[in-house]
Amino acid sequence: LVKKSDLFLDVGAHYGFYSLLAAEANPHMKIISVEPVPENFEILQKNMEENEISSPKGRLIRAAVGNRIGKVELFKSAASDNSGMFKHPNAPSVGKFEVQTTTIDEILREDDSKSIFIKIDTEGNELAVLKGMEKTFEKCRDLSLLLEMNPKMFKLAGTSCKEVVEYLSSKGFNVYGVDDKESKYYPLEDEGNLYRLQAENSFFNALCVKKEKSLSVAFFSHSALLAGAERSLADLVEDLCHDSVLCSVLLPSEGPLKEMLLDKGAAVHVLPECTYWWAGSHQSFNEAGHKMQLTQSMKATVAGVLPVLRQLKPDVVYTQTIVVPWGALCAEILSIPHALSVCEYGELDHHFKFSFGFQESMKAFYDSSKAIFSITESVKNEVFKGVRDKDGKIEVVYRSVRLNPGDDCDVAVQNYDYKNKAVINVAIFGTVFEGKGQEDIVQAGIALMAKGFKIKVYIIGYADPQYLVLIKDLIGASPYKDNFIIKNFVLDPIEQMKAMDIIVSCSRNEAFGRTLIEAILLGKPIIYPDSGGPKEIFVDGVHGLAYPCGDVQRLAEKLIFVIDHPDKTKQRVKAAKEYVSKKFTPGSYSGKIESRLKRIKGAEIKPHHSVMTLLSAAALVDAFLAEFGRKNAEFFEARDELANRNGQIVGLNKAVAERDCQNAGLRQQIDERD
């Protein structure tokens, strides 16, 4: 939060821990640290000197801060961080001392900083501190606050958490309570959140953001893994968090994405009840069973997810992919603007079958959303080909792709003379399934190996078991099985990519091609099918080499061309890297999305419930019919069983009657004998 600030003001600095954190996060920022306790101030001075934070960058003030200038007596606590104007209930007082008082307005009277972040921890005196910064509220439009909320100390000061929140709201701030234990935050305008945080914590922090600047977004992710869509979500969240957007991500399960998001500054809510997609693979799709499960997921969403969103009160609900409807459903129920990210073709690339039909589902998404971000023009035209975008909702936003510091390469010093290498490493990254076309690189690799090229082919990614069998059979039938390495998905594909020489994509319909862009940034030559997103994004022969989709012979020829022409390969990689570095930037990705989300924040939501209508009407009717059919079948089964039992009883009665006749005859014989 302080990375984009010009000034960090630390009120109640103690030993300077927060001041030092701020200085490390933003070395160019000015820092003012204020601390009244003499012993604390002495250590504060030493800490700032040790870390070389001195004038003009650093400024120290020994004073108490309140709503007036003068002098005041403070209680010195046995715990060094609990001294203040009131006796702290958690630590005994060891005496009193007099100190000069000042105000934030006075401290910042001659300061011209445009962006200011103020941290306030004054052991219950926070409201007085806030009332001593009236001029600062007026002159600084870019102002953020972090202050401690301590209900017991507020009570001693004659105020309350609620009064502090109401005062800040009147000054134009949204106030969010931070749950440190769970790494989550909640708007305190909701009194339920305020009372809950007070009940669960002896104190907690509150983040205060200007209302006109603040944006809170609840993201729905379809998965907690780390495939392309999830990595793009993590990149977006990272950029938005750096721009002070409050991001909460709702995940369907635990997974590696959770830790990545927490590291990037997001709050994460795991919702194990909300795991079902409204799309499935063609091979295993059972329409009746799928709709029954959707109905159960819908009930779980209403019961488990809506309460979370009611606590979060986000400005926008954002769904990351088209395979989950729950974000749109919740947004409709709660009348919150909904934004949709379209990362895939759906049917063309992943061969998904949608429970209520593809076009019907996409039309429902369109009607339910205030903004739609398509990963490419090609995806937009395919997914919404039956929709007239008369409202201009759909915007093509190319994803930014970034590497970790130190991973970026200098193409000028790279060696592309592959012929002199002992082994040429060729890799394909992505889910191993039919739509990704890994069989192309296997067959092309075998062809090159047969010609004497020293090649190893790496196939890396999550695998569809059936398609993996096909790939292994192709490899096993060749004499080069030792030259193929199949690896499961890796959390850090960049490290694997660095060790490769050529990166290939063979997708039949690739929506974007993230791994191709990562490869280019690492200085690797790329080969890709002449279709989908890559065809739209790259120029054949300028940024990489394209081959006709599924044409194994042409793919082999492109590989040979890369190997045989190192100078041309280097020239292509250089041009591609310059192009990608300019085109796929955070500004062109997260910047566009943030701007659009802020525009739809607070938008009027008309009662047009497309996703809800589609889900509830179709799912519940079908579920009812399925349930009716099951009950009907049970009825007929029971009726047949009853008829069978009745038949058995008739037979038994007949047998009993016959026995009775026999018995009567025998008794008559006995009587005659007698």
Side-chain angles (χ1 to χ4, degrees):
L1 286 166
V2 299
K3 284 182 179 178
K4 293 189 177 182
S5 299
D6 303 321
L7 168 67
F8 179 74
L9 174 56
D10 192 351
V11 177
H14 190 237
Y15 295 161
F17 183 65
Y18 279 88
S19 296
L20 299 180
L21 283 177
E24 185 175 356
N26 187 347
H28 306 292
M29 181 174 53
K30 291 183 292 184
I31 294 174
I32 302 174
S33 306
V34 189
E35 170 59 38
V37 182
E39 295 88 343
N40 293 348
F41 189 80
E42 184 180 344
I43 297 172
L44 171 65
Q45 281 183 309
K46 290 180 180 178
N47 278 331
M48 301 299 269
E49 289 168 7
E50 284 289 327
N51 289 274
E52 300 178 351
I53 303 171
S54 56
S55 181
K57 179 186 174 182
R59 175 183 164 204
L60 303 183
I61 300 172
R62 188 167 90 78
V65 180
N67 60 353
R68 61 182 179 83
I69 297 171
K71 290 189 177 182
V72 69
E73 279 195 333
L74 299 185
F75 290 96
K76 185 182 290 186
S77 172
S80 65
D81 60 341
N82 284 347
S83 300
M85 292 186 66
F86 314 101
K87 286 185 177 182
H88 203 287
N90 295 341
S93 175
V94 294
K96 296 179 73 173
F97 65 99
E98 189 178 70
V99 67
Q100 185 74 32
T101 62
T102 186
T103 66
I104 288 179
D105 281 345
E106 178 62 23
I107 293 169
L108 301 180
R109 181 162 50 89
E110 297 180 1
D111 191 90
D112 59 356
S113 299
K114 303 295 183 195
S115 176
I116 302 175
F117 190 93
I118 304 176
K119 167 241 156 184
I120 305 171
D121 181 2
T122 55
E123 303 304 326
N125 199 43
E126 280 76 10
L127 184 58
V129 173
L130 294 171
K131 289 183 176 179
M133 54 182 293
E134 291 282 340
K135 292 177 182 176
T136 304
F137 283 136
E138 291 173 8
K139 77 175 184 179
C140 186
R141 290 186 59 82
D142 190 0
L143 176 65
S144 302
L145 309 171
L146 180 70
L147 66 149
E148 184 181 82
M149 305 280 272
N150 190 320
K152 289 183 179 178
M153 297 306 294
F154 282 168
K155 188 174 182 180
L156 292 173
T159 183
S160 66
C161 292
K162 184 179 179 182
E163 186 179 359
V164 172
V165 170
E166 288 174 346
Y167 181 80
L168 284 163
S169 180
S170 72
K171 294 300 178 184
F173 286 86
N174 284 333
V175 186
Y176 297 88
V178 182
D179 183 341
D180 289 322
K181 296 172 187 172
E182 296 293 328
S183 297
K184 295 169 185 173
Y185 40 77
Y186 302 94
L188 297 185
E189 66 185 48
D190 184 305
E191 291 191 10
N193 288 333
L194 182 60
Y195 293 144
R196 182 169 52 82
L197 284 170
Q198 288 182 88
E200 294 174 358
N201 305 273
S202 57
F203 65 90
F204 59 94
N205 292 319
L207 176 66
C208 315
V209 186
K210 281 287 187 88
K211 288 179 181 178
E212 68 265 21
K213 185 186 175 187
S214 74
L215 179 64
S216 171
V217 185
F219 294 88
F220 277 75
S221 177
H222 68 302
S223 147
L225 300 175
L226 283 177
E230 294 91 332
R231 289 182 182 276
S232 289
L233 173 62
D235 290 342
L236 174 61
V237 165
E238 179 178 17
D239 293 341
L240 294 179
C241 286
H242 281 181
D243 207 26
S244 304
V245 176
L246 300 182
C247 299
S248 299
V249 185
L250 287 76
L251 298 179
S253 63
E254 297 283 349
L257 179 59
K258 178 182 176 181
E259 290 305 316
M260 179 178 282
L261 290 168
L262 289 172
D263 287 343
K264 293 180 185 300
V268 179
H269 301 257
V270 178
L271 306 168
E273 295 292 336
C274 184
T275 59
Y276 214 72
W277 300 1
W278 67 347
S281 66
H282 273 286
Q283 296 130 331
S284 59
F285 196 81
N286 179 301
E287 190 167 336
H290 204 265
K291 287 181 180 177
M292 285 291 290
Q293 287 170 303
L294 272 176
T295 304
Q296 295 304 315
S297 279
M298 187 160 61
K299 292 176 183 175
T301 299
V302 171
V305 183
L306 285 179
V308 174
L309 287 178
R310 285 194 176 101
Q311 286 182 340
L312 293 177
K313 291 190 179 300
D315 298 311
V316 179
V317 172
Y318 185 106
T319 297
Q320 172 62 1
T321 68
I322 62 174
V323 299
V324 286
W326 312 119
L329 174 67
C330 291
E332 287 179 357
I333 294 172
L334 298 175
S335 296
I336 300 171
H338 178 257
L340 174 67
S341 166
V342 187
C343 303
E344 62 277 280
Y345 293 104
E347 286 187 317
L348 282 182
D349 49 2
H350 297 292
H351 301 164
F352 286 141
K353 186 171 176 62
F354 284 72
S355 297
F356 311 117
F358 182 68
Q359 288 193 342
E360 293 84 350
S361 301
M362 296 308 103
K363 178 67 167 61
F365 259 145
Y366 179 86
D367 291 338
S368 293
S369 303
K370 285 291 183 182
I372 298 172
F373 306 106
S374 175
I375 198 167
T376 57
E377 193 75 36
S378 172
V379 167
K380 169 190 167 182
N381 294 337
E382 176 62 30
V383 172
F384 296 104
K385 60 186 174 187
V387 174
R388 279 185 62 245
D389 187 21
K390 61 182 186 299
D391 297 324
K393 294 181 181 181
I394 309 173
E395 183 177 358
V396 175
V397 179
Y398 292 126
R399 305 300 191 250
S400 69
V401 178
R402 74 284 310 268
L403 303 177
N404 293 324
D407 287 337
D408 203 3
C409 78
D410 183 358
V411 175
V413 301
Q414 299 292 309
N415 180 14
Y416 298 98
D417 188 9
Y418 296 138
K419 278 204 260 187
N420 292 322
K421 288 196 69 174
V423 177
I424 303 168
N425 294 317
V426 179
I428 182 168
F429 291 81
T431 307
V432 183
F433 85 111
E434 185 182 358
K436 294 291 186 182
Q438 281 87 353
E439 60 200 86
D440 285 6
I441 189 59
V442 171
Q443 293 177 21
I446 291 170
L448 264 63
M449 293 168 199
K451 291 181 179 181
F453 285 91
K454 300 167 287 186
I455 286 180
K456 273 196 173 181
V457 176
Y458 289 77
I459 301 170
I460 302 172
Y462 297 118
D464 169 53
Q466 289 182 326
Y467 189 68
L468 186 59
V469 170
L470 170 64
I471 295 298
K472 288 183 174 179
D473 286 346
L474 283 173
I475 294 169
S478 78
Y480 310 107
K481 54 181 176 291
D482 292 339
N483 286 31
F484 290 90
I485 295 92
I486 299 175
K487 290 190 173 184
N488 198 357
F489 177 81
V490 288
L491 288 178
D492 188 4
I494 300 302
E495 286 304 312
Q496 295 280 331
M497 210 175 278
K498 284 180 185 177
M500 301 299 127
D501 298 306
I502 304 170
I503 305 300
V504 176
S505 170
C506 300
S507 293
R508 304 302 183 232
N509 289 283
E510 183 66 47
F512 182 60
R514 180 188 178 91
T515 58
L516 294 174
I517 295 174
E518 289 172 336
I520 288 170
L521 292 173
L522 290 170
K524 309 296 179 183
I526 62 169
I527 301 174
Y528 57 91
D530 192 20
S531 65
K535 181 179 181 179
E536 177 183 326
I537 292 168
F538 304 117
V539 178
D540 182 22
V542 177
H543 306 126
L545 297 179
Y547 78 98
C549 194
D551 192 331
V552 174
Q553 182 179 343
R554 293 291 298 278
L555 173 56
E557 290 171 2
K558 299 296 180 181
L559 284 164
I560 292 171
F561 191 86
V562 170
I563 295 167
D564 285 348
H565 300 85
D567 291 339
K568 290 183 178 179
T569 296
K570 188 170 191 172
Q571 184 180 351
R572 257 192 328 276
V573 174
K574 184 174 183 292
K577 191 169 189 296
E578 290 172 355
Y579 164 73
V580 162
S581 299
K582 291 177 182 177
K583 189 174 183 68
F584 302 99
T585 64
S588 64
Y589 174 40
S590 56
K592 279 187 177 181
I593 291 177
E594 181 182 351
S595 176
R596 187 74 179 276
L597 295 182
K598 283 184 175 177
R599 289 205 303 273
I600 67 172
K601 168 187 170 183
E604 180 186 358
I605 307 298
K606 296 177 182 177
H608 185 79
H609 302 310
S610 293
V611 168
M612 188 195 305
T613 302
L614 191 63
L615 278 170
S616 58
L620 292 177
V621 167
D622 283 3
F624 171 77
L625 290 175
E627 183 69 8
F628 177 78
R630 187 176 68 81
K631 293 291 186 185
N632 211 29
E634 288 180 358
F635 168 77
F636 285 116
E637 184 181 341
R639 190 188 67 176
D640 291 344
E641 185 176 352
L642 179 62
N644 185 43
R645 292 288 174 88
N646 285 338
Q648 291 176 351
I649 290 170
V650 169
L652 288 171
N653 285 339
K654 187 178 178 181
V656 169
E658 290 175 353
R659 290 293 175 90
D660 285 344
C661 287
Q662 291 175 358
N663 192 36
L666 289 171
R667 288 205 173 274
Q668 188 176 355
Q669 290 178 26
I670 291 171
D671 289 341
E672 291 171 354
R673 292 284 177 90
D674 289 343

